[in-house]
Amino acid sequence: MVLHNNMDYSAAQKTLAILPKCTGCLSLLGSLFIFQDVVIHKRPIDRVYYRIMLGLSCSDMIASTVNIFSTWPIPPDSGNFLASGTTATCTAQGFFNELGNLATPLYNTSLCAYYVLVIRQAWSEDRIRIRAERYMHAMPILIALTIAVLGLPFKLYNNSGWLCWIAKYPKGCSGSDCTRGVHADIFRWVHYAIIWSAIICVTVGMYLIYLKVKSFDRREAQEN
């Protein structure tokens, strides 16, 4: 067990270590509720919507659990409050952090695509299941898993502040001075490009749904 009594930690360091545990627990509880609502309460799992929600809740449970651990997996020589891990535990947290935090927004994109197909395109459940559902699951799982796995041979997962993620090590190093995470900047750009692409897709999808609903309202107003 690593003792932390010999160091003075700032309020900011303590907050960054403890607060994610609280928010992570709340997020995990929400995802667990969706999971048990679908699985335990036996929602019609044969429906595409519930399978997407199941995938979304599973990916969010991964991301939430990572937040609950916060600084615990970080090696203690980092100087972080409650840091008690090793390079191996930090790597594991970084891997699941990347996996969960990429899969979750991409699953939100799949959910938005489902709504667009149902509301705007008027696709039937069978048509979505046959022609689109495989991509709604393959996209978030394969993209997130590919980027997360690539981080392992490149040694990208290191202390990034309040948890382990894509970062250079030692902190502040550059080029050959880095012993780990030399390509961290590139992979961070890739990560944020994927996140923002998901945000843009969801925004466009919601706007298309808005236009469709608005046209329904106008048509009903004219008929009345």
Side-chain angles (χ1 to χ4, degrees), residues 127-169:
R127 188 178 184 187
I128 295 174
R129 183 173 61 253
I130 294 171
R131 299 186 59 180
E133 185 184 8
R134 71 190 70 177
Y135 305 109
M136 293 176 175
H137 295 287
M139 179 187 68
I141 293 173
L142 292 179
I143 292 177
L145 191 59
T146 298
I147 300 299
V149 169
L150 283 175
L152 297 175
F154 284 104
K155 300 180 180 180
L156 296 177
Y157 303 127
N158 305 291
N159 173 26
S160 65
W162 59 275
L163 47 63
C164 295
W165 186 48
I166 299 172
K168 294 179 179 180
Y169 183 84

Side-chain angles (χ1 to χ4, degrees), residues 4-223:
H4 301 274
N5 297 328
N6 297 327
M7 294 185 63
D8 292 327
Y9 297 97
S10 67
Q13 286 178 305
K14 293 179 180 179
T15 301
L16 286 174
I18 297 173
L19 187 60
K21 299 182 187 298
C22 301
T23 57
C25 284
L26 293 174
S27 180
L28 181 61
L29 287 173
S31 296
L32 283 172
F33 177 81
I34 296 174
F35 182 86
Q36 63 88 29
D37 191 49
V38 174
V39 176
I40 299 178
H41 288 180
K42 300 185 184 303
R43 296 290 183 183
I45 197 65
D46 57 318
R47 287 187 55 189
V48 175
Y49 170 79
Y50 286 109
R51 286 196 290 269
I52 294 175
M53 289 302 298
L54 189 61
L56 177 58
S57 63
C58 288
S59 62
D60 188 68
M61 281 191 285
I62 294 173
S64 300
T65 303
V66 167
N67 287 343
I68 292 172
F69 279 93
S70 66
T71 57
W72 281 336
I74 300 175
D77 60 4
S78 64
N80 291 77
F81 181 62
L82 298 180
S84 308
T86 63
T87 300
T89 60
C90 191
T91 298
Q93 185 189 39
F95 172 84
F96 287 108
N97 186 18
E98 184 68 356
L99 180 65
N101 282 293
L102 279 183
T104 300
L106 290 173
Y107 254 114
N108 273 292
T109 305
S110 296
L111 183 61
C112 180
Y114 172 82
Y115 286 136
V116 170
L117 293 176
V118 170
I119 298 173
R120 184 176 177 85
Q121 303 303 119
W123 279 28
S124 66
E125 180 78 9
D126 288 339
R127 188 178 184 187
I128 295 174
R129 183 173 61 253
I130 294 171
R131 299 186 59 180
E133 185 184 8
R134 71 190 70 177
Y135 305 109
M136 293 176 175
H137 295 287
M139 179 187 68
I141 293 173
L142 292 179
I143 292 177
L145 191 59
T146 298
I147 300 299
V149 169
L150 283 175
L152 297 175
F154 284 104
K155 300 180 180 180
L156 296 177
Y157 303 127
N158 305 291
N159 173 26
S160 65
W162 59 275
L163 47 63
C164 295
W165 186 48
I166 299 172
K168 294 179 179 180
Y169 183 84
K171 184 178 180 180
C173 70
S174 61
S176 59
D177 295 333
C178 300
T179 57
R180 294 174 58 87
V182 176
H183 304 289
D185 291 339
I186 297 174
F187 276 83
R188 281 203 175 203
W189 277 107
V190 172
H191 174 91
Y192 288 122
I194 294 171
I195 298 295
W196 278 104
S197 296
I199 293 172
I200 292 171
C201 287
V202 170
T203 302
V204 172
M206 291 296 100
Y207 182 67
L208 292 175
I209 293 172
Y210 162 76
L211 292 178
K212 187 66 174 181
V213 173
K214 187 177 181 180
S215 68
F216 282 145
D217 290 341
R218 286 180 177 176
R219 190 178 308 166
E220 288 185 357
Q222 291 174 354
E223 292 175 354

